[in-house]
């Protein structure tokens, strides 16, 4: 794999033009001075996470999208990295009301495939990461084998059955492996109780979220799915890549309250940031 820090002997103007053709989710450093213009930015959060040592290990990135964690594990010295995501967007956990709307194209066939960004970066990085079209619910050792390290990032909140998903992730984790869950913590339910595992059920809209968890809720979901939390990060924000200070949803009392809560918990007052926490876990059984 080509180092992300190396100065490539290639036409950067042409690279930028190819990058601009894709709608990115992740902000990823491609070459010095060249970054994908994603919706969200986690680059600042990597040092805050209890990121496992992946050197010489077989690793899995679940819900990879553009490959942020997959390429990061390869960069850190993983021997083998497999990245999975749904091969067709119609396989996502759309709410019933959305699936029932015949006017909606659930596959989003007018857009580039979900794997387009990953495949472009795979080429540019000269990467060996293997992409597989697979739903998290379908993970089994018979299909993908087992892994020393498994990462699941910002996906649980979009799943209708998070415990089933976590159970599937545990099934492909080696008995002495490490599992890193990085996901959204919902401030309102998090403030209700530090100990009780709480969730707010949404499950509406095309840009859907299902179970909005408290910190205790995510810990309980991990526990009942067969994981033991070893370390947890401090709270941090999933930041928007661009300054969203003037966006309509960042105005008003609710937006101000959210930003204040985020700042109290993280020291980060980024407009439009979403509260996250990372949990490094091992298998309980």
């Amino acid at each position: 794999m080509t180092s992300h820090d190396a100065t490539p002997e290639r036409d950067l103007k042409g690279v930028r033009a190819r990058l601009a053709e894709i709608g990115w989710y992740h902000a990823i450093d491609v070459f010095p001075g060249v970054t994908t213009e994603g919706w969200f930015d986690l680059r600042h959060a990597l040092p805050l996470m209890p990121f496992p040592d992946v050197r010489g290990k077989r690793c899995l990135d679940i819900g990879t999208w553009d490959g942020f964690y997959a390429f990061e594990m390869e960069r850190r010295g993983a021997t083998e990295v497999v990245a999975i995501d749904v091969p067709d967007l119609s396989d996502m956990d759309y709410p019933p009301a959305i699936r029932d709307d015949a006017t909606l194209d659930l596959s989003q066939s007018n857009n580039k495939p979900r794997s387009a960004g990953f495949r472009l970066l795979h080429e540019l990085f000269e990467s060996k990461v293997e992409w597989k079209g697979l739903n998290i619910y379908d993970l089994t050792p018979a299909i993908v084998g087992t892994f020393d390290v498994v990462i699941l990032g910002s996906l649980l909140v979009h799943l209708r059955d998070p415990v089933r998903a976590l159970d599937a992730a545990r099934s492909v984790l080696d008995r002495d492996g490490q599992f890193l869950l990085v996901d959204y913590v919902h401030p309102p339910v998090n403030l209700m109780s530090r100990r009780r595992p709480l969730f707010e059920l949404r499950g509406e809209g095309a840009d859907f979220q299902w179970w909005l968890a408290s910190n205790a809720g995510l810990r309980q979901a991990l526990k009942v799915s067969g994981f033991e939390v070893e370390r947890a990060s401090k709270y941090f924000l999933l930041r928007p890549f661009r300054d969203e200070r003037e966006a309509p949803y960042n105005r008003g009392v609710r937006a101000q309250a959210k930003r204040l809560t985020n700042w109290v918990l993280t020291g980060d007052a980024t407009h439009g940031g979403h509260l996250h926490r990372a949990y490094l876990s091992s298998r309980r059984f």
Side-chain angles (χ1 to χ4, degrees):
M1 177 180 177
T2 300
S3 169
H4 297 200
D5 299 324
T7 302
E9 296 180 3
R10 62 179 80 234
D11 179 7
L12 287 182
K13 184 177 180 181
V15 169
R16 288 191 176 96
R18 295 180 68 189
L19 294 173
E21 294 176 353
I22 293 172
W24 299 90
Y25 179 83
H26 292 113
I28 300 175
D29 292 324
V30 184
F31 301 123
V34 180
T35 300
T36 61
E37 296 190 5
W39 295 344
F40 295 110
D41 193 350
L42 274 169
R43 293 172 296 168
H44 68 286
L46 284 172
L48 306 177
M49 300 179 190
F51 210 96
D53 182 0
V54 299
R55 290 174 294 180
K57 296 180 179 179
R58 185 170 193 254
C59 304
L60 175 66
D61 177 23
I62 302 173
T64 192
W65 205 320
D66 301 322
F68 178 81
Y69 293 110
F71 295 128
E72 180 65 20
M73 288 190 284
E74 184 177 49
R75 188 187 70 80
R76 293 186 182 213
T79 300
E80 180 183 358
V81 181
V82 176
I84 72 164
D85 212 325
V86 289
D88 188 319
L89 294 183
S90 65
D91 291 336
M92 295 195 299
D93 274 355
Y94 289 108
I98 300 301
R99 287 200 172 277
D100 194 56
D101 188 343
T103 66
L104 296 178
D105 175 13
L106 300 184
S107 295
Q108 301 181 31
S109 54
N110 290 330
N111 299 327
K112 287 184 178 293
R114 190 181 180 97
S115 61
F118 177 94
R119 296 193 185 284
L120 177 54
L121 293 182
H122 191 275
E123 173 194 335
L124 296 175
F125 291 156
E126 299 177 5
S127 171
K128 295 181 180 179
V129 174
E130 180 183 4
W131 186 91
K132 288 182 177 291
L134 191 66
N135 193 306
I136 185 173
Y137 296 130
D138 299 326
L139 277 173
T140 67
I143 295 176
V144 295
T146 59
F147 298 86
D148 302 299
V149 173
V150 175
I151 294 182
L152 176 61
S154 300
L155 177 63
L156 212 62
V157 69
H158 295 293
L159 299 179
R160 183 163 60 177
D161 194 341
V163 173
R164 178 186 170 198
L166 288 171
D167 187 31
R170 180 182 54 81
S171 76
V172 298
L173 182 68
D174 284 338
R175 188 64 186 87
D176 57 351
Q178 292 182 299
F179 176 64
L180 182 66
L181 173 69
V182 185
D183 222 293
Y184 174 64
V185 177
H186 193 44
V189 295
N190 203 46
L191 291 171
M192 290 180 183
S193 176
R194 295 183 61 184
R195 296 185 178 182
R196 293 179 61 198
L198 300 177
F199 297 82
E200 178 184 327
L201 175 60
R202 289 274 180 90
E204 295 179 322
D207 185 20
F208 55 90
Q209 298 171 326
W210 279 99
W211 300 97
L212 282 65
S214 66
N215 168 59
L218 288 176
R219 288 176 176 271
Q220 181 69 4
L222 284 164
K223 180 180 178 181
V224 300
S225 304
F227 292 101
E228 183 74 34
V229 176
E230 297 176 346
R231 283 187 290 150
S233 71
K234 295 181 179 179
Y235 292 106
F236 58 87
L237 296 188
L238 174 66
R239 293 174 176 170
F241 180 66
R242 296 190 178 281
D243 187 352
E244 297 192 353
R245 195 169 308 176
E246 299 304 320
Y249 49 80
N250 280 329
R251 302 171 186 170
V253 175
R254 287 189 178 182
Q256 292 177 5
K258 175 185 175 182
R259 191 160 59 250
L260 176 60
T261 301
N262 287 346
W263 178 79
V264 169
L265 290 173
T266 67
D268 187 341
T270 301
H271 291 253
H274 300 291
L275 191 67
H276 271 58
R277 200 169 196 184
Y279 306 83
L280 185 65
S281 305
S282 57
R283 289 182 57 156
R284 292 176 53 226
F285 51 84

